[in-house]
C-alpha cells in the first residue's frame, strides 16, 4: 500500500502538477479515510483500500456528517477519495470505483460578499506617494480590475502585465494559463509602481510585487495591507482579496450578462461555480424591485 500511495503522490504532484497545498489536502482526506477503516476494524484484519465497497464509503460519510461536518466539507472529502479511486482504476489495481454512486448531503450555498462601487472608490482612492502606498494601490486595483485570486496575484512576475495589450498573464489552478483584460486605471497604477519598484526589489527578483525586504510579497502580507487600508480609509466592511474578486465578477456580470466571459476571466473549470454570481445579481435586482415597484413598496 505504501508503494501505491507513493505512486499516487507522484501522479498528483508531477503528472497533474497540482500545488503542494492541493496535494497535501487530497492526501490528508485519503489518510483520514484509511485511519477510519483501521478504527472500524478493531482487532480484526484491517480491510485494504483496494477491496473497499460502496457501503463502507457511505458509512464513512455518515460518520463525518454526524460529527457535524458541513455538506461542502463532505463534498471535498468525497472528491478526494474519488480522485484516488480513479487513479487505482487507471492503474488496473481495481475493477470498480466504489465512490461513483456516493452522494454527500446537500449544503446551502452562501452568496459571496461584495463591495459596491462607492465603497471600492473610497478604498482605492489612495493619494499618498509613499512607495508602499503606491504598491498597495497597484495590487488592489489589479485584484479588482481582473478578478485575480490571491495566489495568482502574488505569483505575477514583471513581464506578466502587458501594458500595450492591456492584459495580464495568469497561472491559475493546475498551472492553467489564461490572459485577462486590465482596465486603464489599474494599468496606470501598476505602471506607477513599476517606476518605483527598483527601490525595494532585490537584484534579480522577478516578482511584480515585492516586500520591504525586496522579495516576492507573501499572501499574508497582502491580506494585512488590505485590512490596513480598510481602516485607513474608514470602511466598516471587512476587506480581503477574495472580496475584490467577488466584486469584480458581480459587477462585470451585472453590466454585461455574459456568464461565459466571466467564467473564462475567473478561471473557473465548471460554469456552475460561476453561476453563483447570477444569484447575487438577481438578489440585487430583487432589492431594486422592492424599492422601486409601486406594488412592492412597503406602506
Amino acid at each position: 500500500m505504501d508503494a501505491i500511495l507513493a505512486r499516487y503522490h507522484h501522479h498528483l504532484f508531477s503528472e497533474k502538477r497540482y500545488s503542494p497545498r492541493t496535494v497535501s489536502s487530497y492526501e490528508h482526506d485519503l489518510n483520514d479515510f484509511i485511519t477510519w477503516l483501521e478504527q472500524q476494524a478493531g482487532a480484526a484484519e484491517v480491510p485494504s483500500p483496494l477491496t473497499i465497497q460502496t457501503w463502507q464509503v457511505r458509512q464513512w460519510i455518515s460518520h463525518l456528517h454526524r460529527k457535524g461536518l458541513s455538506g461542502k466539507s463532505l463534498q471535498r472529502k468525497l472528491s478526494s477519495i474519488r480522485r484516488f479511486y480513479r487513479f487505482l482504476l487507471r492503474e488496473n489495481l481495481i475493477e470498480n470505483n466504489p465512490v461513483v454512486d456516493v452522494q454527500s448531503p446537500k449544503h446551502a450555498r452562501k452568496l459571496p460578499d461584495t463591495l459596491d462601487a462607492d465603497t471600492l472608490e473610497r478604498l482605492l482612492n489612495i493619494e499618498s506617494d509613499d512607495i508602499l502606498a503606491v504598491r498597495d494601490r497597484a495590487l488592489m486595483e489589479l485584484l479588482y480590475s481582473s478578478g485575480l485570486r490571491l495566489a495568482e496575484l502574488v505569483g505575477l512576475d514583471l513581464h506578466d502585465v502587458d501594458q500595450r495589450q492591456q492584459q495580464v498573464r495568469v497561472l491559475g489552478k493546475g498551472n492553467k494559463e489564461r490572459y485577462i483584460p486590465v482596465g486603464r486605471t489599474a494599468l496606470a497604477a501598476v505602471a506607477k509602481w513599476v517606476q518605483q519598484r527598483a527601490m525595494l526589489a532585490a537584484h534579480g527578483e522577478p516578482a511584480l510585487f515585492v516586500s520591504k525586504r525586496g522579495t516576492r510579497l507573501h499572501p499574508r502580507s497582502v491580506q494585512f495591507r488590505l485590512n490596513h487600508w480598510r481602516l485607513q480609509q474608514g470602511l466598516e466592511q471587512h476587506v480581503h482579496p477574495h472580496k475584490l474578486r467577488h466584486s469584480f465578477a458581480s459587477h462585470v456580470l451585472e453590466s454585461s450578462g455574459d456568464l461565459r466571459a466571466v467564467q473564462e476571466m475567473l478561471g473557473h473549470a465548471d460554469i456552475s461555480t460561476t453561476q453563483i454570481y447570477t444569484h447575487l445579481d438577481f438578489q440585487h435586482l430583487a432589492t431594486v424591485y422592492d424599492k422601486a415597484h409601486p406594488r412592492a413598496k412597503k406602506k
Side-chain angles (χ1 to χ4, degrees):
M1 197 63 212
D2 288 343
I4 293 173
L5 292 176
R7 283 161 60 188
Y8 181 56
H9 177 86
H10 179 269
H11 166 72
L12 294 175
F13 201 78
S14 300
E15 294 179 29
K16 289 295 187 178
R17 300 181 65 84
Y18 292 136
S19 69
R21 184 175 178 180
T22 300
V23 172
S24 176
S25 177
Y26 286 150
E27 292 181 333
H28 176 76
D29 292 337
L30 179 58
N31 288 332
D32 277 356
F33 180 53
I34 293 173
T35 300
W36 178 81
L37 289 173
E38 293 171 350
Q39 292 171 345
Q40 294 302 110
E45 183 179 351
V46 178
S48 166
L50 301 181
T51 61
I52 291 304
Q53 302 296 312
T54 298
W55 67 266
Q56 289 167 296
V57 181
R58 288 200 178 106
Q59 196 174 62
W60 177 58
I61 290 298
S62 297
H63 162 73
L64 295 175
H65 186 48
R66 287 194 299 272
K67 285 180 63 177
L69 261 69
S70 67
K72 186 174 183 180
S73 296
L74 294 176
Q75 284 182 0
R76 192 205 74 221
K77 286 186 176 294
L78 269 176
S79 176
S80 298
I81 303 304
R82 280 196 193 95
R83 189 172 298 277
F84 175 64
Y85 278 98
R86 281 201 298 266
F87 166 77
L88 295 181
L89 273 173
R90 194 196 76 167
E91 298 292 305
N92 295 317
L93 294 170
I94 58 173
E95 294 182 0
N96 298 295
N97 188 337
V99 197
V100 168
D101 297 324
V102 181
Q103 300 294 325
S104 68
K106 299 290 184 181
H107 71 281
R109 201 167 188 183
K110 185 181 177 183
L111 293 179
D113 290 331
T114 62
L115 301 170
D116 60 40
D118 290 340
T119 303
L120 281 161
E121 179 67 26
R122 285 176 59 194
L123 174 66
L124 299 173
N125 188 25
I126 300 173
E127 298 179 354
S128 172
D129 285 328
D130 173 78
I131 189 168
L132 293 184
V134 172
R135 180 201 66 189
D136 293 347
R137 185 181 178 210
L139 67 84
M140 287 192 291
E141 288 280 6
L142 197 52
L143 278 171
Y144 174 55
S145 174
S146 303
L148 305 184
R149 298 179 177 96
L150 176 56
E152 294 170 347
L153 177 84
V154 298
L156 291 177
D157 290 335
L158 263 174
H159 63 265
D160 288 327
V161 177
D162 188 331
Q163 290 278 347
R164 189 172 61 85
Q165 295 292 332
Q166 298 184 337
Q167 64 184 16
V168 59
R169 172 184 171 273
V170 169
L171 277 180
K173 291 185 176 180
N175 279 343
K176 292 181 180 177
E177 182 181 85
R178 68 186 194 279
Y179 289 85
I180 313 170
V182 184
R184 290 189 184 91
T185 304
L187 285 171
V190 170
K192 185 175 181 180
W193 155 245
V194 170
Q195 289 174 356
Q196 301 185 35
R197 174 185 171 278
M199 297 167 61
L200 286 183
H203 179 70
E205 174 57 62
L208 174 60
F209 295 110
V210 297
S211 67
K212 288 190 288 187
R213 296 189 301 274
T215 55
R216 188 178 298 274
L217 199 60
H218 193 274
R220 290 293 295 272
S221 298
V222 177
Q223 294 168 331
F224 176 80
R225 294 300 292 177
L226 259 65
N227 190 55
H228 164 81
W229 286 110
R230 191 266 299 187
L231 296 172
Q232 192 76 15
Q233 303 297 77
L235 303 184
E236 293 183 1
Q237 280 183 270
H238 180 65
V239 177
H240 53 79
H242 225 63
K243 187 173 283 191
L244 295 182
R245 176 174 160 88
H246 290 324
S247 302
F248 157 83
S250 178
H251 295 169
V252 171
L253 185 60
E254 186 179 323
S255 300
S256 69
D258 194 332
L259 190 64
R260 286 289 181 185
V262 173
Q263 177 195 8
E264 187 173 340
M265 286 187 282
L266 290 175
H268 286 160
D270 191 337
I271 198 166
S272 65
T273 309
T274 319
Q275 284 173 332
I276 192 169
Y277 295 106
T278 63
H279 299 304
L280 199 64
D281 190 31
F282 178 79
Q283 190 179 64
H284 168 73
L285 293 174
T287 302
V288 172
Y289 176 87
D290 287 342
K291 291 180 178 177
H293 198 287
R295 293 291 189 183
K297 290 179 180 178
K298 293 181 179 179
K299 299 292 185 181

